[in-house]
Amino acid sequence: MNNIDASKYEDIKIGDTNFLIGKSTRLHIKMTDACNGQCPFCVARLGKLREEHIIENLHQKIDIAVNKLNVKNVVLLGGEPTISKNLFPILNELRNYTNKLQEITIITNGVMLHDISFVQKLAESPITAVNISIHHFDTKVNDDLMRIKTLSREELKQIRDILHKNGKQLWLSVVLMKEVIDSGEKALEYIKYYAGVVDQIRMFPISYTKEHETVADVANFTKSHLLSDAQLNAIIEKVEKSGNRIELDPKQFSSAYTSTRVYGQQVIMKKTEIHKDSDDEKNHAIYSIKLLPSGKLTNTYHDRGLDLFDLLSK
């Protein structure tokens, strides 16, 4: 199979088809299509809060994911997962599997985390880390980009302290793009600004969303804000030279990522040579499972993917 490291997969039969399933897969729980932010590079800003069926047969679906599909890590995302009514019911279900899961993380724009009581509730749930999307160290720049009220540095410290008291971590995610964080100097300024505030920073290049997959303005923004491979590699090189290399757990990360400790924080960056998505569907390879707002447990972010619950619950 093309571009597939067979040592990281095992054979599994789903329905009438043989697949390669990752030995350590990730379950993405897409809580909702809706979002309270308006990031210009994200299709979720156009999503609507609709009736969600994600909670239906939840126990059986989580059980299949963990016990039949090798799920070791769970990510809750959206849209914006914190606005979903199903957030805490799903977290309560995941509590039953903490002995088999390495990580349970939530990716959020942080709007709901201005409410400290909400933070406390998250900290007491089975999550292992809260991952907040903040794309610039200047809160006004980030506010204007995402069209939200960004959490201040002081608020992030308070959130971190609550999480740490409960044995959890605070992470930040940054999308690298033109006119925002687009150089090694800016990346280091970002990392330095949040020094002593968060445990981990994840930096990823913006992805081009083709117009046939979304609306024209999102496609145009992503296309116009892509950094070249040379620019992205220069950012990674600058950050790496400023810190100490950290080896990543191969069970959770592939060679597609690099990691270094800068100003006391772990910084994980996606390597640019594999920036383009690999065509795993053609290779019959599954390295992540998706639970969609429709309630479908599948191998893609679209309802047209395999119905894994139907195929594996028989």
Side-chain angles (χ1 to χ4, degrees):
M1 294 188 179
N2 298 330
N3 302 318
I4 293 292
D5 182 355
S7 67
K8 294 183 179 180
Y9 293 83
E10 60 186 38
D11 292 321
I12 183 174
K13 190 164 187 176
I14 301 177
D16 296 324
T17 306
N18 290 320
F19 286 84
L20 289 180
I21 185 81
K23 293 180 180 178
S24 177
T25 64
R26 193 175 298 270
L27 172 63
H28 291 112
I29 302 181
K30 186 172 168 57
M31 305 291 304
T32 178
D33 292 322
C35 188
N36 49 9
Q38 291 286 305
C39 297
F41 52 84
C42 181
V43 295
R45 69 187 182 87
L46 303 168
K48 295 181 180 180
L49 195 61
R50 59 184 179 179
E51 183 181 1
E52 295 161 359
H53 301 276
I54 198 168
I55 206 78
E56 295 172 7
N57 297 310
L58 180 65
H59 175 76
Q60 295 94 321
K61 290 170 185 173
I62 299 295
D63 198 70
I64 286 173
V66 173
N67 292 317
K68 292 187 178 182
L69 296 171
N70 301 337
V71 165
K72 300 293 187 295
N73 302 293
V74 176
V75 182
L76 293 93
L77 68 166
E80 174 51 45
T82 61
I83 65 175
S84 171
K85 64 183 180 181
N86 295 315
L87 174 60
F88 289 103
I90 287 177
L91 284 173
N92 286 336
E93 178 60 37
L94 290 172
R95 193 184 298 277
N96 298 319
Y97 296 89
T98 52
N99 63 324
K100 295 185 177 182
L101 296 172
Q102 296 170 343
E103 286 183 358
I104 303 172
T105 59
I106 181 169
I107 300 176
T108 172
N109 59 27
V111 170
M112 294 292 289
L113 305 189
H114 290 291
D115 180 355
I116 291 302
S117 64
F118 189 91
V119 175
Q120 187 66 47
K121 195 172 180 181
L122 269 184
E124 293 170 358
S125 78
I127 61 160
T128 57
V130 173
N131 189 348
I132 303 173
S133 297
I134 299 179
H135 306 298
H136 203 279
F137 49 83
D138 184 321
T139 54
K140 185 180 185 308
V141 172
N142 197 66
D143 286 354
D144 292 344
L145 179 71
M146 300 178 71
R147 298 184 190 175
I148 62 170
K149 186 181 187 322
T150 304
L151 290 158
S152 68
R153 196 171 184 277
E154 290 68 31
E155 285 178 299
L156 287 171
K157 282 184 179 179
Q158 189 176 11
I159 292 167
R160 175 206 61 194
D161 290 345
I162 292 171
L163 291 172
H164 280 191
K165 285 179 182 176
N166 288 270
K168 316 298 169 68
Q169 288 196 339
L170 178 61
W171 301 349
L172 296 183
S173 278
V174 189
V175 174
L176 302 172
M177 63 187 114
K178 287 182 180 177
E179 301 172 10
V180 189
I181 301 296
D182 56 6
S183 68
E185 289 75 19
K186 285 184 181 178
L188 284 175
E189 191 170 354
Y190 182 105
I191 296 164
K192 187 175 182 179
Y193 181 76
Y194 290 110
V197 176
V198 301
D199 301 293
Q200 188 181 105
I201 294 174
R202 297 186 170 205
M203 294 186 161
F204 306 106
I206 192 172
S207 296
Y208 173 44
T209 306
K210 296 179 182 178
E211 189 170 342
H212 72 269
E213 295 173 345
T214 182
V215 293
D217 59 341
V218 175
N220 290 337
F221 185 93
T222 56
K223 187 174 183 179
S224 64
H225 284 72
L226 285 171
L227 297 173
S228 69
D229 283 356
Q231 288 172 309
L232 289 166
N233 285 328
I235 292 172
I236 291 172
E237 184 179 0
K238 183 82 172 180
V239 172
E240 285 189 322
K241 284 185 176 179
S242 301
N244 299 312
R245 185 68 181 269
I246 303 175
E247 294 300 321
L248 292 169
D249 182 354
K251 293 180 181 178
Q252 297 189 50
F253 291 92
S254 69
S255 59
Y257 297 88
T258 183
S259 175
T260 185
R261 188 171 298 282
V262 188
Y263 304 122
Q265 300 155 122
Q266 184 179 17
V267 181
I268 296 174
M269 294 165 286
K270 187 172 182 181
K271 291 182 179 178
T272 58
E273 58 264 25
I274 54 87
H275 175 42
K276 296 179 177 64
D277 294 330
S278 58
D279 200 350
D280 291 300
E281 288 184 60
K282 286 185 179 178
N283 289 319
H284 291 291
I286 299 174
Y287 63 91
S288 70
I289 319 302
K290 286 80 177 176
L291 179 55
L292 304 178
S294 64
K296 189 170 184 178
L297 185 69
T298 185
N299 59 322
T300 75
Y301 281 114
H302 310 284
D303 284 316
R304 64 176 179 265
L306 294 171
D307 188 334
L308 296 171
F309 174 63
D310 181 60
L311 291 168
L312 294 173
S313 60
K314 293 178 180 177

